[in-house]
Amino acid sequence: MSGQRKCPDCGSCEIVEDAHYAQSQLVCADCGFILTEGLLTTTFQDEEHLQEVTYSRSTGQNEQLSRCKLRGIKRVQDLCKVLYLPAVFEETALSYFQRAIEHPSFHLVSLEKKEILVGCCVFVTCRQRNWPLTMGTICSLLYADKELFASVYLCLLKELELDVPALSLTDLVKTHLNSFKLFQSSASIPTKFAEDKEKMVARTIQIVELASETWLVTGRHPVPIVTAAAYLAWQSLQPVGRLTCTFPRFCKLAGTDLPPPAHLRLKELNDILLRMASQLAWLRVLNVDKKTVVKHIGDLLQHRHFLLRSSFSSGDTGDQSATAAGDGSECSPQAEGGSTQAEGSQPGGKQKCSSVQRPLLPPCLINPRKRLRTVALSPSDQAITGDEAISDSEIEQYLRSQEEMQELSKAQAWH
């Protein structure tokens, strides 16, 4: 015991020697304050030189951090360095990872999901700060499956209650086209295929906006739409020499993948462009098709608002003309072109079909994948005619407001 020294925390003189891990140290007996800390030997590099270090510098400091957590923190730091992210991004991503790894939902997950969790924290940080980064970039760096990454990402947002702003189509187009290799001529890319980046991005954004205005974007994955729009934009900027380039070859030159639904999105965009071209008088005489309509994309996009309104109105007038035809003609809508053509004439000299143009509708209504099945009514439902009497107790279930109850009481008093 040492009565001469005082505790700097409580002022007590009850200072005793205590052995901690076989190392002596002075401790206040009243409040437990440690006046002097014993020396320990670390198990890291200092052990080789037999150097003594304090407990705060020894391996005991890292006992609370598991090996998985330490490895995840290092992976977050490395990923931020590879992406050249600012220091504030790294701090936010580390805080998200530490919160996630301590959450019970991520305790018993596989090592693969914990590795993906690192990328999800970085991806969330970039999305929140409007940093151009796609999920595909993170997956390529981590060699992760995109579907598994998406599931861990959604789980992270749900468990940590993170608010991530939705990525606009404009930002997605700019980010997706940044990886294209068509913006500088090289040995693998001919000069006629190289294109100015700003022009191509601007034209692609206009085509994607057109797709959004015609219901081609809603409920669909945006990457196939952006890829198809980029292909049309690239062809329309220099049609001579590019019309013969196929969609797969374009993706190979650009160094990007060709998503399976991209061919369908390309066909739908061509149908919309052909529909708009039919509203321009100087394009009707040219008999444009899905290949030559690319030459006139600039004019169609310039007047797209007027052409879309004309397409809607022409569909309405077409339905009225078909109704007014009555017994004079027999018409059936064409499967894909949106209009009918004369297939012949009847013996009485009556025209078989008249030109009827279908209004613009969402693709799910034009070509539904599944038809609704009608369920047979039960005998009790078939017996219902709609003229059955309604009891007062059932009426009161629908009359919630005080005014309605007063009106009902007045009506009952009159009777």
Side-chain angles (χ1 to χ4, degrees), residues 196-211:
D196 182 69
K197 181 178 179 180
E198 296 181 358
K199 292 182 179 180
M200 186 170 174
V201 170
R203 180 63 61 85
T204 304
I205 291 175
Q206 291 179 344
I207 297 177
V208 170
E209 290 176 352
L210 174 64

Side-chain angles (χ1 to χ4, degrees), residues 390-400 405 408 412:
I390 303 176
S391 62
D392 295 340
S393 60
E394 188 175 356
I395 293 178
E396 292 177 356
Q397 295 178 1
Y398 298 95
L399 300 176
R400 300 299 183 184
M405 296 298 295
L408 178 62
Q412 293 176 348

Side-chain angles (χ1 to χ4, degrees), residues 177-385:
L177 266 64
N178 279 338
S179 60
F180 281 20
K181 302 177 181 179
L182 297 173
F183 306 126
Q184 54 183 359
S185 58
S186 60
S188 59
I189 300 176
T191 305
K192 64 178 181 179
F193 289 164
E195 187 54 65
D196 182 69
K197 181 178 179 180
E198 296 181 358
K199 292 182 179 180
M200 186 170 174
V201 170
R203 180 63 61 85
T204 304
I205 291 175
Q206 291 179 344
I207 297 177
V208 170
E209 290 176 352
L210 174 64
S212 177
E213 294 171 355
T214 53
W215 299 293
L216 299 183
V217 176
T218 305
R220 281 151 169 206
H221 199 284
V223 173
I225 299 175
V226 173
T227 306
Y231 173 60
L232 292 176
W234 176 76
Q235 281 188 323
S236 64
L237 290 173
Q238 295 183 19
V240 179
R242 294 183 180 179
L243 291 180
T244 57
C245 182
T246 61
F247 197 9
R249 185 186 179 190
F250 164 78
C251 294
K252 185 177 181 180
L253 291 173
T256 184
D257 296 332
L258 178 59
H263 287 285
L264 298 177
R265 304 294 89 83
L266 179 62
K267 180 181 179 300
E268 293 171 351
L269 285 173
N270 281 326
D271 292 341
I272 295 297
L273 294 173
L274 287 174
R275 180 69 175 268
M276 296 169 61
S278 65
Q279 304 297 324
L280 291 178
W282 64 84
L283 293 182
R284 294 175 185 173
V285 298
L286 297 179
N287 296 325
V288 295
D289 54 12
K290 63 180 181 180
K291 293 184 178 180
T292 58
V293 73
V294 179
K295 300 178 182 179
H296 312 283
I297 285 181
D299 295 335
L300 296 177
L301 293 177
Q302 184 178 359
H303 307 286
R304 78 171 189 265
H305 297 293
F306 168 76
L307 296 177
L308 288 178
R309 285 196 302 266
S310 301
S311 299
F312 279 109
S313 61
S314 65
D316 297 336
T317 57
D319 294 338
Q320 295 176 1
S321 62
T323 305
D327 299 333
S329 62
E330 298 178 358
C331 298
S332 61
Q334 191 178 355
E336 295 180 0
S339 62
T340 58
Q341 297 177 354
E343 298 179 358
S345 58
Q346 294 179 348
K350 297 181 181 179
Q351 186 179 1
K352 185 176 181 181
C353 290
S354 62
S355 61
V356 178
Q357 197 167 27
R358 183 178 56 191
L360 283 175
L361 295 174
C364 60
L365 296 180
I366 298 175
N367 298 314
R369 292 185 178 180
K370 296 182 180 180
R371 295 182 178 179
L372 297 178
R373 297 181 179 179
T374 57
V375 181
L377 298 177
S378 61
S380 59
D381 294 337
Q382 293 178 357
I384 298 176
T385 60

